[in-house]
Amino acid sequence: MNLETYTKEFSYNLRLAYPIILGMLGHTIVGIVDNIMVGKLGPTELAAVSLGNSFVFIAMSLGIGFSTAITPLAAQADGRKSVTEGRSAFHHGLYLCTILGVLLFTVIFLSKPIISFMGQPENVVDLAKPYLDIVAFSLIPLIIFQGYKQFADGMSETKISMWATILGNVVNVFLNYLFIYGIWIFPELGIVGAAIGTIVSRFVMLGYMHFQMKNMVKFHPFFEGFSIKKIKKEVNLKIINLGAPSAMQMFFEVGLFTAAVWLSGRLGITNQAANQIALSLASFTFMFAMGLSVAATIRVGNQKGLGDYKQLRVVAISIFLVAILLETLFALIFILFHKQLPALFIDMDNVKDLAANTEVVAIAAQLLIVAAVFQISDGIQVVFLGALRGLQDVKLPMYITFIAYWIVGFPTSVYLGIYTTLGAAGIWIGLLAGLTTAAIFLYIRFNKLTKRLIIENPAPQPLADEFVI
């Protein structure tokens, strides 16, 4: 096939993906806004937010990863025009996401004492604990929101979650401004104020998502007939079998980046603050690839429902090419502005913390050079992971991500970061090693699997599927 075969898909892919990208950027922007506003308070406060969020991000990765199981099931049902399958995926998925949200909050809340034994600076730990209590509770509305979002995405209605997230961001910024700095009649709460902004914004997002979908004609059939009595154990198990490996895939990657936060904390406050700045910027650009990954899940799921594996492969590779182009652009931006971007997060006019802030910016600038390189690897691995999820192939990718991040990436981060003079940069070289390993082997898996499916199914035809619900 020539290049035009793939490039002609670009337009549709981008129309489908851009609302997803904007919605995911919204989640990231919530964190970036918190970091910028809290960063003005000082490096200790920024390090405390980083430490608190590291716990929440682990739980969030499990919840969001699990909820992605709903997307391919909804996309397959949409491809087959089956309301029954779609309704079942929606009801059971939402039910499981609600239980999981409550469970994750409980685990994080009970795990809070662990922070005191992680070798982190004592003043950072003291600030992080009350922040963590509030942000952990926000996991409940967030994971329920994900249940709605993933179903809507699977039905190719990707703009609803985009607007929900934009609204949530507006609420978050407004409340942050009032509560962090104590504007007007509101108390000055510091980083606890940032936590309040986060939790309220996530409840607003959930309420908006429910209201919009409930009142949209396309979704009327899927809201009908919900009852706890109609929740079936066998359907729950099918979703869990698809969602659990997806959750672990995301957990392994997010866990590696969280480990980087903890390792950086062992190097000192300035290293941890610099890590948080670089991580915020890298997460921002990663959301573009993540949005394309969800688009890959949707389109691949549609083609799987139709049984057209040749077009499925074309669609996936076209999305891969878009991701490569975007991530290369971001890599160039990181290289060109690696010194200027970190300064946006720090108050360089703060004379008291000038020396520490200058060191934070210098370390973060080094990390952005490494991040520029792993942009491309990160884009490749997440797009092919999304495509494989659309094929409902999740177990082998789970093992691939575990090996890449925890057998290759983590030991490299520990050795280079703790036992060499590279410091935080060494930790991030370990991230690069893990992401590159994942990218290579996920591509190999996708390539072999799709070629085999094309040979076994030469003509488009509806397939009986073990995950049909």
Side-chain angles (χ1 to χ4, degrees):
M1 293 184 183
N2 57 36
L3 186 60
E4 186 181 357
T5 304
Y6 304 107
T7 57
K8 70 181 183 181
E9 299 287 337
F10 281 9
S11 177
Y12 182 82
N13 290 337
L14 289 172
R15 287 200 306 274
L16 181 64
Y18 89 82
I20 305 170
I21 292 171
L22 290 177
M24 290 185 166
L25 284 176
H27 287 304
T28 306
I29 290 170
V30 168
I32 290 177
V33 167
D34 285 352
N35 288 335
I36 290 175
M37 290 182 150
V38 169
K40 304 302 181 184
L41 300 175
T44 303
E45 285 82 359
L46 184 59
V49 168
S50 173
L51 180 60
N53 281 339
S54 68
F55 275 76
V56 176
F57 286 159
I58 290 176
M60 191 186 302
S61 70
L62 290 169
I64 293 177
F66 181 86
S67 71
T68 60
I70 302 169
T71 305
L73 295 174
Q76 181 173 286
D78 192 33
R80 291 173 170 166
K81 307 301 178 187
S82 174
V83 172
T84 303
E85 287 183 30
R87 184 188 295 122
S88 182
F90 182 43
H91 291 184
H92 287 81
L94 205 56
Y95 170 78
L96 290 172
C97 282
T98 301
I99 293 175
L100 184 58
V102 174
L103 180 62
L104 290 172
F105 159 66
T106 304
V107 170
I108 293 299
F109 183 79
L110 295 177
S111 302
K112 188 177 63 171
I114 295 175
I115 295 180
S116 300
F117 303 98
M118 293 175 58
Q120 306 297 308
E122 187 176 344
N123 53 343
V124 171
V125 171
D126 290 340
L127 283 173
K129 286 182 176 179
Y131 173 84
L132 179 58
D133 285 339
I134 300 172
V135 176
F137 189 73
S138 75
L139 286 168
I140 297 175
L142 179 63
I143 304 306
I144 298 173
F145 167 82
Q146 282 295 130
Y148 283 96
K149 176 192 179 299
Q150 298 295 347
F151 180 74
D153 285 352
M155 300 299 291
S156 298
E157 293 291 342
T158 56
K159 290 184 179 180
I160 307 174
S161 60
M162 176 190 75
W163 289 114
T165 309
I166 290 173
L167 176 61
N169 271 302
V170 171
V171 171
N172 182 64
V173 171
F174 179 69
L175 293 180
N176 273 3
Y177 182 66
L178 295 179
F179 285 107
I180 291 177
Y181 307 120
I183 303 300
W184 194 36
I185 62 173
F186 296 91
E188 183 179 345
L189 299 176
I191 67 172
V192 171
I196 291 172
T198 298
I199 192 170
V200 173
S201 68
R202 286 176 175 169
F203 272 107
V204 169
M205 288 164 54
L206 173 59
Y208 178 89
M209 197 76 188
H210 175 82
F211 178 81
Q212 289 296 104
M213 289 178 65
K214 182 81 172 178
N215 289 280
M216 193 170 179
V217 174
K218 179 176 181 176
F219 290 110
H220 284 175
F222 303 107
F223 277 88
E224 295 174 356
F226 180 81
S227 170
I228 296 295
K229 293 180 180 179
K230 293 184 178 180
I231 298 296
K232 300 177 181 178
K233 180 181 178 181
E234 59 271 22
V235 178
N236 282 337
L237 289 175
K238 288 176 181 177
I239 295 177
I240 290 170
N241 286 336
L242 185 58
S246 297
M248 295 308 296
Q249 291 163 13
M250 189 169 289
F251 169 75
F252 292 145
E253 181 176 1
V254 172
L256 177 62
F257 278 84
T258 300
V261 173
W262 295 342
L263 289 172
S264 298
R266 297 184 69 86
L267 298 176
I269 290 174
T270 54
N271 281 274
Q272 190 172 43
N275 182 85
Q276 183 64 15
I277 290 171
L279 185 58
S280 295
L281 291 166
S283 298
F284 181 85
T285 57
F286 174 67
M287 288 303 107
F288 287 81
M290 190 67 180
L292 290 169
S293 173
V294 176
T297 300
I298 295 168
R299 296 207 65 194
V300 166
N302 288 156
Q303 296 303 319
K304 177 178 170 60
L306 295 170
D308 190 346
Y309 290 98
K310 288 183 179 179
Q311 183 61 19
L312 182 154
R313 184 177 169 85
V314 168
V315 163
I317 293 177
S318 70
I319 295 174
F320 159 73
L321 293 174
V322 173
I324 290 293
L325 291 172
L326 277 175
E327 296 304 323
T328 301
L329 173 63
F330 292 134
L332 291 173
I333 291 172
F334 277 6
I335 291 171
L336 292 173
F337 301 103
H338 67 285
K339 293 181 179 179
Q340 291 80 10
L341 290 172
L344 298 174
F345 292 77
I346 294 294
D347 182 6
M348 297 305 292
D349 296 326
N350 184 340
V351 178
K352 184 184 73 170
D353 294 321
L354 181 60
N357 286 341
T358 301
E359 185 179 355
V360 168
V361 171
I363 297 170
Q366 294 177 344
L367 300 185
L368 284 185
I369 296 296
V370 182
V373 180
F374 75 49
Q375 291 293 302
I376 298 172
S377 295
D378 214 1
I380 294 171
Q381 66 88 20
V382 76
V383 166
F384 282 118
L385 202 54
L388 289 167
R389 189 173 293 126
L391 281 165
Q392 299 175 24
D393 178 53
V394 291
K395 289 188 178 179
L396 185 57
M398 176 184 70
Y399 297 127
I400 289 172
T401 52
F402 173 76
I403 292 170
Y405 300 134
W406 290 96
I407 304 300
V408 176
F410 181 67
T412 305
S413 287
V414 171
Y415 175 72
L416 295 180
I418 304 299
Y419 298 103
T420 74
T421 57
L422 290 171
I427 294 171
W428 276 52
I429 291 172
L431 303 182
L432 170 61
L435 290 168
T436 302
T437 303
I440 292 169
F441 285 98
L442 289 171
Y443 165 74
I444 291 172
R445 172 61 177 171
F446 173 82
N447 192 48
K448 288 186 174 181
L449 181 58
T450 52
K451 285 184 175 180
R452 190 185 77 209
L453 288 169
I454 289 170
I455 292 171
E456 293 174 352
N457 304 276
Q461 55 185 348
L463 299 177
D465 190 274
E466 61 176 320
F467 286 102
V468 171
I469 58 176

